[in-house]
Amino acid sequence: MCDKRKRQCVCLRQVYKSCLDGLLPSYQAFYRVCSRLTKHQSTLLSGQDKQLLVALAGMDVSVPHVAVVSLAVCCRALKLCKVPAAVLHAFDDIRLQPASQVVLGLPEHILAPHAQPSPNPVQLQMTTPFPVTLPECALPADFNKQHGLLAKPYKHLVHRAVLEQHMGEFKSFSTNPFQLNRKGIAHGSRTWQNSEKQVYLFLGYCHHYQQVSQPTLQLFLSSPLIAQYVSFHIAAGHSQLYIRNFLSCARCVLRWWQSKPGGNHPSFVEGLEWLQTLGLQVADQLPRPSKDPKGLADAGKWMSAPRLVHLIHGAELQSQDQMQQQGVTVETSRDMHDAALAAMTFSHLPPVRLSCIRSLVVPAYTGPCLHPDCKEPSCEGNRLSITSESPLLMHIQLPHHKNARKWGKAVIEFDVPSDLAQLLHTYLGAPRKALLEHHLLIGDTCPYVFMDMHGRGFVAAAVLTLYWQKWLVSRGGVPMNPSMCRQVFVDERQSNSATAGPSNQGVAMVMGHSVKQWDKWYDMQYHPRLAQNAVDGMQSWRAAILQSHPPAAPDLTLSSALHCGHVLVSDSEESRYQSCCSDSDIDIDLD
């Protein structure tokens, strides 16, 4: 390769990389400046130049054409676009070299539509025909490798600006309160985080395992890739709920593509129906794994309600005794914090949702509501407040819970039991201040009641889960998820040996749902318990029948031939019976 060709490719790579790194204001502005300077005269790269560009500059091989201008025009356009001086100096160095007639390479399929507004936008469509069955999938050798395309791993991508633009537009489309070309209500912050996670996992799979060099949201238009991704999760043994969440996210992405100019192709309607059919069949063929307390206990993921209550009660007493004997230290303060967190999660209160516990702010907090989706100016958020110091009365209000929208923004609120209030009041004093000072957060700079080992609130649910599991193991328990406390509580309340306690309807309301949901999601012994109770009840029913209804006297007028205990059937009756049976079988087959 001659030096001139090398310099051409170097310039192509530098300009293209600068555009993608955000050094240039936009594709549109730079393209228009170049077009104006060249009086709208441009050429196309030859096939050999394009191959060099792919090899040295890392461009995507799927780019059909590359618009080109001279290096001198490129430098003038860069100055007009007010790029950093370092970029200009780099191009001046290349331009001053002999025979430096080089070109500027920008993807025409990205720039050309923005050069002039077009009344006929590019037609978008999905890959057809749609797969009629899922392909076979063998797990790759590096299956355990994390394949999600998260923030740091995708920084090396050349086209990451396109991906970031797509994600920004998709987020705006999904989360805007009033988006009239979108079906349904806006995504909340938690729903958007789940959708974003699903998108990055799919793009990471395409990048790592399908060798897609530049993943963007346009990959959701490829039905074969989606089918291969579903097969990948089935081969990995992932749950049907996980796969259905991805398919739901894929439908949202398709609806976003539909809202864009040129997104009225019939393949989008067919694609949405195809995804819905795939989701229904995944739910049918991959049922939810049956979980029962015995199986979970054998796997080390279950603790009975009495055992868990005694464990938490012992932690409360021990933390109070250590505080009296050793005084306020970082260790005793952390023990009291953990005991208060465990008592809030189970034992004193019905198992409140973990999102409510994580977002609970201290009584001294006077700032605005910290919930990301809250738009009420007077909202105080999920708050623990002190109603009275003597006698000590504490109150909890939870305006932000999972079913707040379905309940018409009804607030879950209640007074804290006296024992728990005393524990929380003690912790919120000197022990909490000692923890904040230990983590260099002097004062009440952490607004939340509970904090992790770094003095920060449990913003992420996974952090609280790991924290709870480690604490349970340290107390002699098993690494059970804190969300499993809801199943543990419902299992005890619905069992035949349930201890006397609160009404199920009130408990379900504090838990943030209804009693009907217990049978469907939380009561893991619902079907076997009902079946066993029915069988046990049949025995008393049988005994009552035998006792209340004496047997009837035998009819002595029957023929003596029948007293032998056998039923006599003639040959003609037998043949007629068989004929009826055969006719019945034929009718059943025809039906």
Side-chain angles (χ1 to χ4, degrees), residues 5-15 56 94:
R5 300 292 295 279
K6 290 181 179 179
R7 289 195 298 272
Q8 289 176 345
C9 290
V10 169
C11 186
L12 286 169
R13 181 179 58 189
Q14 292 296 330
V15 176
L56 296 182
I94 300 176

Side-chain angles (χ1 to χ4, degrees), residues 57-77:
M59 282 193 63
D60 193 350
V61 294
S62 63
V63 177
H65 303 292
V66 177
V68 296
V69 293
S70 67
L71 178 59
V73 173
C74 171
C75 291
R76 293 200 300 271

Side-chain angles (χ1 to χ4, degrees), residues 525-589:
Q525 293 278 17
Y526 176 71
H527 293 94
R529 185 179 62 253
L530 287 185
Q532 188 61 51
N533 290 344
V535 172
D536 294 341
M538 285 297 297
Q539 310 314 308
S540 58
W541 173 84
R542 176 178 176 274
I545 289 291
L546 294 176
Q547 184 177 1
S548 60
H549 298 279
D555 189 358
L556 302 178
T557 62
L558 295 177
S559 174
S560 59
L562 297 180
H563 288 283
C564 61
H566 299 283
V567 179
L568 301 180
V569 180
S570 64
D571 295 338
S572 60
E573 290 175 331
E574 181 179 1
S575 61
R576 186 169 64 255
Y577 172 75
Q578 292 178 351
S579 176
C580 293
C581 289
S582 61
D583 293 341
S584 176
D585 294 340
I586 294 175
D587 293 340
I588 292 175
D589 294 338

Side-chain angles (χ1 to χ4, degrees), residues 23 58 77 120 128 156 172 220 312 328 352 384 404 419 462 489 498 508 525 556 575:
L23 298 178
N120 299 318
T128 54
H156 68 281
S172 177
F220 280 88
I312 295 174
V328 179
V352 183
L384 173 66
D419 292 344
F489 180 77
Q525 293 278 17
L556 302 178
S575 61

